[in-house]
Amino acid sequence: MTQKILVLPGDGIGPEITAQASRILAACQARGLDVEVDEGLVGGSAYDVHGEPLPAETLEKAKAARAILLGAVGGPQWDKLEDLAKRPEKGLLGLRKNLGLFGNLRPAITYPQLADASSLKPELVAGLDIMIVRELTGGIYFGQPRGIEVRNGERVGFNTYVYSESEIERIGRVAFEMAQKRGKKLCSVDKANVLEVTILWREVMERLAPEYPDVELSHMYVDNAAMQLVRAPKQFDVMVTGNMFGDILSDAAAMLTGSIGMLPSASLNESGQGMYEPCHGSAPDIAGKGIANPLATILSVAMMLRYSLDEPALAQRIEDAVGKVLDDGLRTADIASKGTRTVSTAEMGDAVLAAFEAL
Ligand code: NAD
């Protein structure tokens, strides 16, 4: 059955990088991938046309799509919008909420060719391949009650850190299944020495473990996990954690790779419908210059093929094509180093496409 893909270029460098990723998607179609690709507006560019960062038409298309490829949203021209509901990032949050995208997959991969780009010693990060599974729709970012109010004559700010067993179980299952497909090691990150909600988190992970006997489950407090990520990151295979800890740890892990322009991400719901996007933002400082790195977006297409479209061979082919281009010494400016050849966004797209076809 033909599946629908929605491409949402967004703002800033979004249109430049999704254009290159769309070419790879078209090459997959030429090799038999049975998808129908449509485009839509989101973020600031949607606000400019429709007065909304997530127009009804885009939401309808998103709901009907098996997978969404998103560039990035945001830019200084929309930062002064007083109505926070109209800000570009609300477009993203609206998509996550409406599609129930609770499972965020954030790989941190250091390509051996780019190990020098990390702030850590190359031997600590060369070949690094971690998958952080972050719960995305619950936890302290959404818990009620929340607010700022006056108590005993002073202002008090408060939030609620809450997870139900079923919320923990469904993200736990995503992580266990991910570990089964990878190195079979799962580290659950919590703060069970202090927070009851994560005592429950740990209990649920333990309860699930016997169902995945091939996966080795371990637990780590979040403060130790932060230390271990910068001390010896290669000890990790899959990590699973709640929304806030995952937010922080996945950004730290991303930086271990030294190149934000290389990192894809996925957000999935229970039916495997997913939104795929680079980890970086809309980079307004370089938008329109034709120098943005399209590889994170191209690698997001690979994740889409693997996790929503069940096409692992095509996914691997894209990843191998990216590896080949790096082997050949081609780099966009953000990852350039001595002895490499700096290319534009479109030239990088050309090279990946050529490598994809030649493999
Ligand atoms: P950013 O990731 O956009 O940029 C940080 C730095 O990295 C900049 O110097 C930028 O030029 C560079 N960079 C990022 N992606 C690159 C790429 N593909 N190739 C080459 N260089 C790249 O983060 P920021 O500057 O904090 O945010 C800029 C805008 O993006 C803001 O409006 C922010 O709200 C938005 N943002 C959006 C998302 C998203 O859409 N998911 C995520 C983060 C930030």
Side-chain angles (χ1 to χ4, degrees), residues 110-123 125-127 256-258:
T110 306
Y111 285 82
Q113 303 93 327
L114 302 177
D116 284 340
S118 174
S119 50
L120 295 193
K121 296 185 193 108
E123 63 268 26
V125 293
L256 296 177
T257 71

Side-chain angles (χ1 to χ4, degrees), residues 18 40 76 85-86 112 122 128 138 174 184 223 270 276 332 345 357:
T18 48
K86 305 280 185 199
L128 180 78
V174 170
K184 303 195 168 31
D223 42 344
E270 262 152 318
Y276 297 82
T332 42
T345 309
E357 297 296 357

Side-chain angles (χ1 to χ4, degrees), residues 152-171:
N152 298 325
E154 66 168 337
R155 293 205 304 153
V156 175
F158 55 97
N159 290 86
T160 302
Y161 191 176
V162 57
Y163 272 119
S164 66
E165 267 189 295
S166 58
E167 281 177 306
I168 303 170
E169 180 170 332
R170 67 179 184 175
I171 193 72

Side-chain angles (χ1 to χ4, degrees), residues 71-224:
V73 298
Q77 61 271 55
W78 300 288
D79 283 348
K80 37 189 189 308
L81 282 176
E82 277 185 16
D83 184 352
L84 293 184
K86 305 280 185 199
R87 294 262 179 104
E89 51 272 29
K90 289 290 176 196
L92 266 191
L93 295 176
L95 283 168
R96 282 181 193 163
K97 187 163 169 264
N98 279 285
L99 301 180
L101 302 173
F102 70 92
N104 188 211
L105 311 182
R106 292 273 306 256
I109 297 169
T110 306
Y111 285 82
Q113 303 93 327
L114 302 177
D116 284 340
S118 174
S119 50
L120 295 193
K121 296 185 193 108
E123 63 268 26
L124 284 183
V125 293
L128 180 78
D129 184 355
I130 304 177
M131 177 69 83
I132 298 191
V133 179
R134 167 190 170 196
E135 202 290 326
L136 201 58
T137 53
I140 195 163
Y141 291 173
F142 295 94
Q144 296 287 348
R146 60 192 295 154
I148 301 173
E149 64 185 31
V150 176
R151 294 181 194 166
N152 298 325
E154 66 168 337
R155 293 205 304 153
V156 175
F158 55 97
N159 290 86
T160 302
Y161 191 176
V162 57
Y163 272 119
S164 66
E165 267 189 295
S166 58
E167 281 177 306
I168 303 170
E169 180 170 332
R170 67 179 184 175
I171 193 72
R173 290 196 183 282
V174 170
F176 273 106
E177 282 165 27
M178 181 66 58
Q180 280 183 321
K181 290 187 198 138
R182 294 173 39 107
K184 303 195 168 31
K185 273 171 46 179
L186 175 61
C187 178
S188 171
V189 176
D190 61 40
K191 190 71 183 167
N193 51 341
V194 180
L195 298 170
E196 284 79 359
V197 51
T198 66
I199 293 176
L200 181 66
W201 178 282
R202 194 177 276 219
E203 279 176 20
V204 173
M205 293 296 160
E206 282 292 329
R207 174 164 62 72
L208 293 178
E211 292 182 44
Y212 305 89
D214 50 337
V215 176
E216 180 196 321
L217 173 69
S218 62
H219 304 277
M220 199 177 271
Y221 296 140
V222 63
D223 42 344
N224 188 22

